[in-house]
Amino acid sequence: DDADRQRALTDLDQTLLVEAAAGTGKTSLLAGRVTMLLAHGVEPTNIAAITFTEPAAGELRSRGERFVNALLEGAVPKDLALAVPERLTPAQHQSLIEARSRLDELTATTIHGFCHKLLRAHAIEAGIDPGAEVLDAVQTDFAFETVFEQWLRRRLRQDANPDDP
């Protein structure tokens, strides 16, 4: 799949969807793509790298930083060899120097984390509490059980409306 990997690393003007089985290198490929975007002068604040799990999002951020540092030290990580055969161009090197100090501006998160960030930024327009937080699995189960139990109690009361769905 070298041709597809190379496209993901070098076809930076296109939006791509990478779909593959677990353990095939999707996170590394995405980190490589982010690194190449940075090398081509894209500001970290203009990059949103979205993945499915929190561990993958953390790994994505950490690999991206490792890739940037390796390239600036003159090494080409094997995951980037298809995009950087020998070394960076002077312009790419300069872009990575400028980006390295601003990597914290990069968005590397999960789908729900990204949506939460958007909703918080536009809470009033979305009609939600600006302090709303994403619930984890345990909190979600507890909230559902609580709401369901309250609904069921109301539904089974003597004075409940029999037509209440």
Side-chain angles (χ1 to χ4, degrees):
D1 66 350
D2 279 357
D4 290 329
R5 287 180 185 273
Q6 184 174 28
R7 180 173 178 227
L9 292 169
T10 60
D11 196 354
L12 303 175
D13 293 330
Q14 297 292 312
T15 298
L16 302 175
L17 170 69
V18 175
E19 185 177 27
T24 56
K26 294 180 299 294
T27 301
S28 184
L29 184 65
L30 186 52
R33 183 173 172 88
V34 166
T35 302
M36 295 312 299
L37 284 165
L38 294 169
H40 283 84
V42 176
E43 298 287 326
T45 192
N46 292 333
I47 298 175
I50 310 298
T51 188
F52 286 100
T53 67
E54 293 291 340
E59 182 63 22
L60 172 63
R61 182 175 291 283
S62 122
R63 279 191 201 183
E65 188 173 343
R66 282 197 312 263
F67 288 169
V68 166
N69 288 330
L71 288 169
L72 288 175
E73 292 168 5
V76 177
K78 72 176 180 95
D79 294 319
L80 297 179
L82 293 169
V84 184
E86 293 180 30
R87 66 181 163 268
L88 296 173
T89 67
Q92 290 172 327
H93 190 269
Q94 185 59 40
S95 291
L96 285 183
I97 288 172
E98 292 169 13
R100 179 166 50 185
S101 65
R102 298 178 41 226
L103 288 176
D104 60 325
E105 297 174 15
L106 173 79
T107 297
T109 187
T110 61
I111 291 170
H112 65 274
F114 181 71
C115 292
H116 183 240
K117 184 176 180 178
L118 284 176
L119 285 172
R120 277 187 130 171
H122 303 282
I124 304 302
E125 296 95 326
I128 64 166
D129 177 356
E133 292 293 330
V134 175
L135 301 178
D136 65 25
V138 173
Q139 293 169 319
T140 301
D141 289 344
F142 179 73
F144 177 81
E145 288 171 15
T146 301
V147 170
F148 181 76
E149 184 177 314
Q150 290 171 353
W151 171 83
L152 188 58
R153 286 179 192 272
R154 278 194 318 271
R155 184 69 180 96
L156 296 177
R157 281 194 332 238
Q158 288 289 45
D159 62 341
N161 179 355
D163 295 328
D164 180 12

